Protein backbone atom coordinates (compact mmCIF):
# COMPACT_ATOMS: atom_id res chain seq x y z
CA UNK A 1 0.00 0.00 0.00
CA UNK A 2 1.39 3.38 -0.90
CA UNK A 3 1.10 6.53 1.17
CA UNK A 4 0.33 10.01 -0.05
CA UNK A 5 3.24 12.40 0.44
CA UNK A 6 1.89 15.62 -1.10
CA UNK A 7 -1.09 17.02 -2.97
CA UNK A 8 -2.20 20.14 -4.81
CA UNK A 9 -5.27 21.52 -6.54
CA UNK A 10 -5.81 24.44 -8.92
CA UNK A 11 -9.00 25.84 -10.41
CA UNK A 12 -9.12 28.08 -13.46
CA UNK A 13 -11.42 29.25 -16.23
CA UNK A 14 -11.78 27.20 -19.40
CA UNK A 15 -9.77 29.65 -21.49
CA UNK A 16 -7.34 28.15 -23.99
CA UNK A 17 -4.35 30.08 -22.60
CA UNK A 18 -4.84 28.33 -19.23
CA UNK A 19 -3.94 24.97 -20.78
CA UNK A 20 -0.23 25.88 -20.70
CA UNK A 21 -0.58 27.09 -17.10
CA UNK A 22 -2.11 23.76 -16.01
CA UNK A 23 0.55 21.76 -17.86
CA UNK A 24 3.41 23.72 -16.27
CA UNK A 25 1.86 23.68 -12.77
CA UNK A 26 1.48 19.89 -12.77
CA UNK A 27 4.97 19.44 -14.22
CA UNK A 28 6.48 21.63 -11.50
CA UNK A 29 4.58 19.68 -8.83
CA UNK A 30 5.61 16.31 -10.32
CA UNK A 31 9.28 17.40 -10.26
CA UNK A 32 9.35 16.42 -6.57
CA UNK A 33 9.44 12.77 -7.72
CA UNK A 34 12.63 13.43 -9.74
CA UNK A 35 11.22 12.33 -13.10
CA UNK A 36 13.23 12.16 -16.30
CA UNK A 37 12.61 14.77 -19.00
CA UNK A 38 10.69 12.10 -20.91
CA UNK A 39 8.45 11.34 -17.91
CA UNK A 40 7.77 15.07 -17.38
CA UNK A 41 6.92 15.46 -21.07
CA UNK A 42 4.53 12.48 -20.86
CA UNK A 43 2.74 14.10 -17.91
CA UNK A 44 2.61 17.51 -19.61
CA UNK A 45 1.18 15.97 -22.79
CA UNK A 46 -1.52 14.03 -20.92
CA UNK A 47 -2.52 17.09 -18.84
CA UNK A 48 -2.65 19.21 -22.01
CA UNK A 49 -4.99 16.73 -23.68
CA UNK A 50 -7.28 16.45 -20.66
CA UNK A 51 -7.53 20.22 -20.14
CA UNK A 52 -8.01 20.85 -23.87
CA UNK A 53 -10.89 18.35 -23.86
CA UNK A 54 -12.56 20.40 -21.12
CA UNK A 55 -12.06 23.66 -23.00
CA UNK A 56 -13.15 22.39 -26.43
CA UNK A 57 -15.81 19.83 -25.58
CA UNK A 58 -17.14 20.28 -22.03
CA UNK A 59 -17.80 23.99 -22.25
CA UNK A 60 -17.94 24.38 -26.05
CA UNK A 61 -19.12 27.98 -26.58
CA UNK A 62 -19.18 29.06 -22.94
CA UNK A 63 -16.77 29.58 -20.06
CA UNK A 64 -16.68 27.30 -17.07
CA UNK A 65 -14.20 26.12 -14.49
CA UNK A 66 -11.66 23.32 -14.69
CA UNK A 67 -10.07 21.80 -11.59
CA UNK A 68 -6.75 19.98 -11.78
CA UNK A 69 -5.61 18.09 -8.70
CA UNK A 70 -2.55 15.94 -8.23
CA UNK A 71 -1.27 13.61 -5.53
CA UNK A 72 2.21 12.23 -5.08
CA UNK A 73 2.81 8.87 -3.40
CA UNK A 74 5.86 7.46 -1.66
CA UNK A 75 6.23 4.70 -4.28
CA UNK A 76 6.84 7.28 -7.04
CA UNK A 77 3.30 7.38 -8.36
CA UNK A 78 1.51 10.56 -9.40
CA UNK A 79 -2.25 10.70 -9.76
CA UNK A 80 -3.75 13.59 -11.71
CA UNK A 81 -7.47 14.37 -11.76
CA UNK A 82 -8.89 16.82 -14.31
CA UNK A 83 -12.52 17.74 -13.63
CA UNK A 84 -15.10 19.94 -15.31
CA UNK A 85 -18.77 20.71 -14.76
CA UNK A 86 -19.56 20.88 -18.45
CA UNK A 87 -21.96 19.05 -20.74
CA UNK A 88 -20.66 15.56 -19.93
CA UNK A 89 -19.99 12.67 -22.30
CA UNK A 90 -22.97 10.72 -23.62
CA UNK A 91 -20.98 7.59 -24.54
CA UNK A 92 -17.58 7.26 -22.85
CA UNK A 93 -16.62 4.09 -24.77
CA UNK A 94 -17.30 5.83 -28.08
CA UNK A 95 -15.47 8.98 -26.94
CA UNK A 96 -12.39 6.89 -26.06
CA UNK A 97 -12.16 5.46 -29.57
CA UNK A 98 -9.40 6.94 -31.76
CA UNK A 99 -10.62 9.51 -34.28
CA UNK A 100 -13.96 10.15 -32.52
CA UNK A 101 -14.60 13.81 -31.80
CA UNK A 102 -17.51 16.09 -31.00
CA UNK A 103 -15.37 19.07 -32.01
CA UNK A 104 -14.93 20.69 -35.39
CA UNK A 105 -13.06 19.25 -38.38
CA UNK A 106 -9.76 20.57 -37.00
CA UNK A 107 -9.92 18.12 -34.06
CA UNK A 108 -8.10 14.78 -34.30
CA UNK A 109 -10.23 12.80 -31.88
CA UNK A 110 -7.05 11.38 -30.33
CA UNK A 111 -7.18 13.01 -26.86
CA UNK A 112 -8.05 9.95 -24.78
CA UNK A 113 -5.79 7.74 -26.89
CA UNK A 114 -2.87 10.11 -26.29
CA UNK A 115 -3.61 10.28 -22.54
CA UNK A 116 -3.66 6.47 -22.37
CA UNK A 117 -0.39 6.12 -24.26
CA UNK A 118 1.51 8.58 -22.02
CA UNK A 119 0.11 7.47 -18.65
CA UNK A 120 0.00 4.06 -16.92
CA UNK A 121 -3.73 4.20 -16.15
CA UNK A 122 -6.66 6.30 -17.33
CA UNK A 123 -10.17 6.34 -15.91
CA UNK A 124 -12.99 8.47 -17.29
CA UNK A 125 -16.22 9.15 -15.43
CA UNK A 126 -18.91 11.39 -16.85
CA UNK A 127 -22.58 12.26 -16.57
CA UNK A 128 -24.43 14.30 -19.15
CA UNK A 129 -25.27 17.75 -17.83
CA UNK A 130 -23.08 17.21 -14.75
CA UNK A 131 -19.51 17.01 -16.03
CA UNK A 132 -16.51 14.76 -16.52
CA UNK A 133 -13.63 13.56 -14.37
CA UNK A 134 -10.48 12.11 -15.90
CA UNK A 135 -8.09 10.34 -13.53
CA UNK A 136 -4.59 9.59 -14.82
CA UNK A 137 -1.83 7.73 -13.00
CA UNK A 138 1.86 7.37 -13.80
CA UNK A 139 4.67 5.74 -11.84
CA UNK A 140 8.00 7.57 -11.97
CA UNK A 141 10.93 5.16 -12.14
CA UNK A 142 13.31 5.31 -9.20
CA UNK A 143 16.85 6.38 -10.12
CA UNK A 144 19.99 4.52 -9.06
CA UNK A 145 20.93 5.52 -5.55
CA UNK A 146 17.33 6.30 -4.57
CA UNK A 147 15.15 4.07 -2.46
Amino acid sequence: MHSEINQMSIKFQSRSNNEAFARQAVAAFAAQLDPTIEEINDIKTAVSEAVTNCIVHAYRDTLGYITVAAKLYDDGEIQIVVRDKGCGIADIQKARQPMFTTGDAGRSGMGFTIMESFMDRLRVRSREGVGTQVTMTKRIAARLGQK
Side-chain angles (χ1 to χ4, degrees):
M1 183 73 185
H2 57 216
S3 298
E4 182 182 310
I5 56 173
N6 203 354
Q7 66 175 304
M8 69 84 153
S9 179
I10 54 175
K11 182 177 179 178
F12 49 88
Q13 286 187 318
S14 59
R15 297 180 185 277
S16 59
N17 53 351
N18 284 335
E19 175 268 325
F21 163 67
R23 180 180 66 231
Q24 295 295 5
V26 174
F29 185 72
Q32 297 171 59
L33 294 177
D34 192 27
T36 63
I37 296 295
E38 183 179 352
E39 289 167 333
I40 277 288
N41 286 337
D42 290 353
I43 290 166
K44 287 164 73 171
T45 300
V47 169
S48 291
E49 292 295 331
V51 170
T52 298
N53 274 358
C54 297
I55 293 166
V56 172
H57 302 290
Y59 295 113
R60 289 192 183 108
D61 299 319
T62 185
L63 278 178
Y65 284 94
I66 300 167
T67 302
V68 176
K71 291 181 180 180
L72 303 179
Y73 294 93
D74 61 359
D75 62 356
E77 191 170 271
I78 182 169
Q79 180 186 71
I80 303 157
V81 178
V82 179
R83 186 179 309 121
D84 66 66
K85 294 187 180 196
C87 65
I89 301 170
D91 185 339
I92 293 173
Q93 291 309 112
K94 190 174 185 182
R96 286 182 73 158
Q97 291 176 3
M99 310 309 282
F100 176 83
T101 183
T102 59
D104 61 34
R107 296 283 150 198
S108 70
M110 296 298 289
F112 286 127
T113 303
I114 291 167
M115 286 179 244
E116 268 183 315
S117 67
F118 286 99
M119 302 300 277
D120 296 332
R121 286 191 309 278
L122 175 73
R123 186 176 73 226
V124 182
R125 291 185 173 165
S126 188
R127 283 184 53 205
E128 282 188 278
V130 176
T132 301
Q133 177 175 302
V134 173
T135 304
M136 303 176 285
T137 308
K138 185 170 189 70
R139 185 172 314 271
I140 303 304
R143 309 282 164 261
L144 288 173
Q146 291 182 339
K147 56 177 181 165

